């Protein structure tokens, strides 16, 4: 699975302005709902329910909120580069400025886990994250996220 299978240029947000975790999830839910044709409230509830299980702030300024959404027909991603880092209750207690939201169909099973692993692998690359933090242009962010890398096929 490639990152380009998960996001489109329309699902990348540069200079995302939010004041905290809840607002970030609400605004991302609004954007994601419009991308997948689902209720904003339902998307927010799915993301919030997952956060109650434990933070999706994985450390190093990165969060990967995710969940399974009823009625979704394919895996869908949304990337946001925040204009200012916010507290996301991350495991390393560091504020988050890069968020990759992932929504999966209810029956996605292993594909959901593979997509999460793929996103995690990409965002663990400090060089990639430095480049993402170095631009505030959505097209450039999309290009960086979807750049063909030898390890992407894994």
């Amino acid at each position: 699975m490639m990152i380009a299978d998960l996001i489109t240029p329309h699902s990348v947000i540069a200079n995302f302005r939010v004041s905290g975790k809840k607002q970030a999830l609400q605004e991302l839910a609004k954007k994601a709902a419009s991308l997948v044709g689902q209720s904003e409230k339902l998307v927010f509830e799915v993301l919030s329910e997952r956060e109650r299980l434990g933070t999706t702030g994985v450390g190093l300024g990165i969060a990967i909120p995710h969940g399974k959404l009823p009625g979704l027909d394919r895996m869908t991603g949304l990337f946001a580069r925040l204009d200012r880092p916010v507290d996301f209750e991350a495991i390393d207690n560091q504020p988050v400025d890069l968020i990759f939201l992932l929504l999966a169909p209810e029956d996605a099973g292993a594909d959901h886990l593979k997509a999460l692993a793929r996103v995690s692998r990409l965002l663990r690359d400090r060089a990639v994250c430095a480049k993402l933090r170095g631009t505030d242009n959505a097209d450039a962010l999309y290009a960086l996220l979807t750049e063909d890398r030898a390890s992407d096929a894994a």
Side-chain angles (χ1 to χ4, degrees):
M1 175 172 299
M2 306 281 282
I3 296 294
D5 297 329
L6 303 172
I7 60 171
T8 69
H10 298 293
S11 59
V12 174
I13 307 167
N15 291 314
F16 191 52
R17 289 181 174 85
V18 293
S19 59
K21 180 179 183 174
K22 183 176 181 183
Q23 185 186 15
L25 292 174
Q26 288 171 325
E27 293 300 318
L28 288 169
K30 182 186 299 185
K31 175 76 171 170
S34 70
L35 289 173
V36 300
Q38 295 274 357
S39 150
E40 176 184 332
K41 183 176 187 254
L42 177 61
V43 175
F44 180 71
E45 285 173 2
V46 165
L47 296 174
S48 296
E49 184 177 311
R50 172 56 189 85
E51 287 299 321
R52 280 192 288 279
L53 297 174
T55 184
T56 57
V58 297
L60 302 174
I62 298 159
I64 309 174
H66 58 277
K68 293 185 177 181
L69 194 62
L72 199 62
D73 61 352
R74 67 177 195 84
M75 208 86 62
T76 302
L78 181 66
F79 178 81
R81 179 193 167 281
L82 280 62
D83 71 330
R84 284 188 348 258
V86 299
D87 179 18
F88 214 86
E89 301 165 357
I91 58 172
D92 63 357
N93 294 315
Q94 296 300 308
V96 161
D97 64 342
L98 301 176
I99 301 175
F100 198 114
L101 179 146
L102 187 63
L103 295 173
E106 276 186 311
D107 61 355
D111 287 341
H112 181 217
L113 296 177
K114 287 177 186 174
L116 279 170
R118 179 66 203 95
V119 170
S120 177
R121 215 170 21 253
L122 173 70
L123 296 178
R124 270 198 318 256
D125 185 326
R126 290 177 188 252
V128 169
C129 289
K131 290 176 185 176
L132 292 170
R133 290 181 171 112
T135 185
D136 60 2
N137 177 286
D139 291 333
L141 290 169
Y142 178 77
L144 288 165
L145 290 163
T146 58
E147 185 177 291
D148 188 20
R149 293 176 186 82
S151 64
D152 277 4

